[in-house]
Amino acid sequence: MSNFAQEWLHAWNSHQLDTIMAHYAEDVVFYSPFIIKINNDPAGNLHGKAALQAYFSKALLAYPDLHFDLIQVLEGVNSVVLYYRSVGNRLSAEMMVLNNEGKVVEVRAHYA
């Protein structure tokens, strides 16, 4: 899981959308308070890799100085929580459920 975390972090910090998206399954479900803000969607969730890619693209444009600093990786059964510092030094935790191929099928993002 720590390899996954380091690769995920590197992808985000490089701002390479294709590399970021390589971590997610086609049927991913993503929950985040930032979806409400960036997509103006009160539901706060997205379904499918195409919708997630469109959202991430908007997020990278909205936050050109985006950089994540990993604090801790918490490992679970077919899941991982990445605890990190995000935009504006905000504390963040993302709980990710992984499929048998190691791709993310569900994310629940949390921010301080």
Side-chain angles (χ1 to χ4, degrees):
M1 292 286 183
S2 62
N3 283 346
F4 171 87
Q6 291 302 324
E7 290 171 7
W8 182 90
L9 189 74
H10 176 72
W12 274 103
N13 287 341
S14 70
H15 291 215
Q16 295 176 3
L17 189 56
D18 289 342
T19 307
I20 293 167
M21 294 310 301
H23 294 93
Y24 297 90
E26 289 297 327
D27 58 348
V28 65
V29 180
F30 193 94
Y31 299 85
S32 172
F34 273 93
I35 293 170
I36 297 167
K37 181 178 181 179
I38 291 174
N39 278 11
N40 195 26
D41 182 348
N45 64 72
L46 299 167
H47 299 268
K49 195 170 182 176
L52 186 61
Q53 183 167 341
Y55 164 70
F56 284 168
S57 180
K58 286 182 188 177
L60 288 169
L61 288 173
Y63 300 100
D65 59 343
L66 180 137
H67 182 84
F68 298 155
D69 292 311
L70 188 64
I71 297 169
Q72 189 70 48
V73 177
L74 307 172
E75 296 183 15
V77 176
N78 298 322
S79 64
V80 63
V81 174
L82 303 183
Y83 182 52
Y84 59 93
R85 290 202 180 274
S86 182
V87 175
N89 210 29
R90 176 182 286 128
L91 289 174
S92 305
E94 292 196 29
M95 187 283 296
M96 302 177 187
V97 177
L98 307 175
N99 65 16
N100 291 338
E101 299 169 349
K103 302 289 184 183
V104 179
V105 294
E106 182 179 340
V107 177
R108 296 205 178 240
H110 304 79
Y111 302 93

